[in-house]
């Protein structure tokens, strides 16, 4: 099946495969304190569990972060976007970059990097479903309504390049299910956004967010 990708934000990104300096990590057992690298936590909606990325990898050194100063945030986001949508594992036949989801994803990454936490819930107790709705993206009513609900987000931190980031998600069943749309619940989430942020003073240095969703009645 021919896959159709509508990338409104990043434009041409074919050359971005040269940039492999991207980082992710995965929360373990619902934790967000960075103590359990490469573990995963599970989140659930009313009918099925979905993968919820969190944290992995030991903290990065400031010198490592400085090596990437010449690569823009946009280029890093675009590089990971390319790997996700072009992967042979991707089950969605169409993916469309959504400006609202991209903005929320980047804001989430920046908040974690600058506030020193790693969790699907921010320091105000708000989760991805709430933040996306608050930004004006109308999720289906069947998606969680609690302040900390998450049916749409994978987060990561600490891996050195985009390939390792994707490989970590591939090797984590919950993350793989979400990122690649392996079940109908996620396969219908054709709108998406990727966010990145870096802070040498933060526990993991680099923070990544992938959000996929669908509009109500879509």
């Amino acid at each position: 099946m021919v896959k159709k990708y509508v990338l409104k934000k990043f434009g041409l990104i074919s050359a971005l495969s040269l940039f492999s300096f991207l980082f992710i990590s995965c929360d373990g057992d619902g934790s967000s304190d960075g103590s359990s690298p490469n573990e995963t936590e599970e989140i659930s909606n009313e009918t099925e569990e979905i993968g919820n990325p969190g944290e992995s990898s030991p903290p990065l050194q400031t010198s490592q972060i400085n090596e990437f100063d010449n690569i823009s945030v946009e280029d890093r986001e675009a590089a990971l976007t390319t790997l996700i949508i072009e992967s042979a594992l991707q089950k969605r036949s169409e993916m469309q970059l959504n400006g609202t989801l991209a903005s929320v994803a980047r804001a989430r990454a920046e908040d974690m990097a600058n506030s020193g936490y790693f969790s699907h819930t921010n320091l105000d107790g708000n989760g991805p479903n709430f933040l996306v709705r608050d930004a004006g993206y109308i999720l289906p009513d069947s998606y969680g309504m609690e302040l900390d609900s998450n049916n749409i987000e994978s987060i990561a931190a600490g891996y050195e390049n985009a390939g390792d980031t994707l490989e970590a998600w591939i090797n984590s069943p919950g993350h793989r299910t979400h990122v690649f749309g392996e079940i109908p619940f996620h396969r219908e989430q054709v709108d998406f956004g990727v966010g990145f942020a870096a802070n040498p003073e933060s526990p993991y240095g680099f923070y990544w967010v992938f959000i996929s969703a669908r509009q109500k009645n879509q």
Side-chain angles (χ1 to χ4, degrees), residues 17-204:
S17 59
L18 296 175
F19 301 110
S20 61
F21 307 117
L22 307 171
F23 291 73
I24 109 169
S25 107
C26 308
D27 276 349
D29 301 325
S31 68
S32 59
D33 61 358
S35 59
S36 303
N38 296 315
E39 295 181 1
T40 63
E41 66 182 11
E42 296 296 323
I43 63 175
S44 63
N45 55 47
E46 289 78 358
T47 59
E48 54 197 352
E49 291 188 341
I50 60 177
N52 215 9
E55 134 189 37
S56 67
S57 286
L60 299 169
Q61 301 300 315
T62 302
S63 60
Q64 291 178 276
I65 294 177
N66 289 338
E67 293 176 8
F68 303 99
D69 287 347
N70 63 329
I71 305 175
S72 70
V73 169
E74 291 79 7
D75 284 351
R76 292 167 180 169
E77 292 171 346
L80 186 55
T81 294
T82 300
L83 290 180
I84 290 171
I85 63 177
E86 293 186 355
S87 171
L89 297 176
Q90 186 57 251
K91 303 301 184 183
R92 300 176 181 93
S93 61
E94 177 178 352
M95 295 183 74
Q96 176 166 302
L97 186 65
N98 179 274
T100 299
L101 299 184
S103 294
V104 173
R106 184 181 292 181
R108 288 276 297 121
E110 291 174 344
D111 191 39
M112 288 189 287
N114 296 329
S115 299
Y117 73 95
F118 190 60
S119 172
H120 293 289
T121 304
N122 67 19
L123 298 183
D124 294 322
N126 299 322
N129 289 17
F130 172 86
L131 295 171
V132 162
R133 286 183 172 118
D134 192 54
Y137 188 97
I138 304 174
L139 293 172
D141 293 340
S142 60
Y143 282 41
M145 294 288 189
E146 300 297 325
L147 286 178
D148 62 351
S149 292
N150 176 24
N151 301 119
I152 61 176
E153 179 187 81
S154 288
I155 58 176
Y159 288 102
E160 189 171 350
N161 57 64
D164 288 346
T165 293
L166 202 61
E167 189 67 22
W169 276 335
I170 290 171
N171 291 329
S172 171
H175 297 82
R176 185 178 64 241
T177 296
H178 174 223
V179 173
F180 298 113
E182 291 186 340
I183 60 175
F185 181 85
H186 292 308
R187 199 171 304 132
E188 295 174 348
Q189 296 176 336
V190 297
D191 293 343
F192 77 99
V194 169
F196 169 84
N199 185 340
E201 303 301 322
S202 63
Y204 286 85

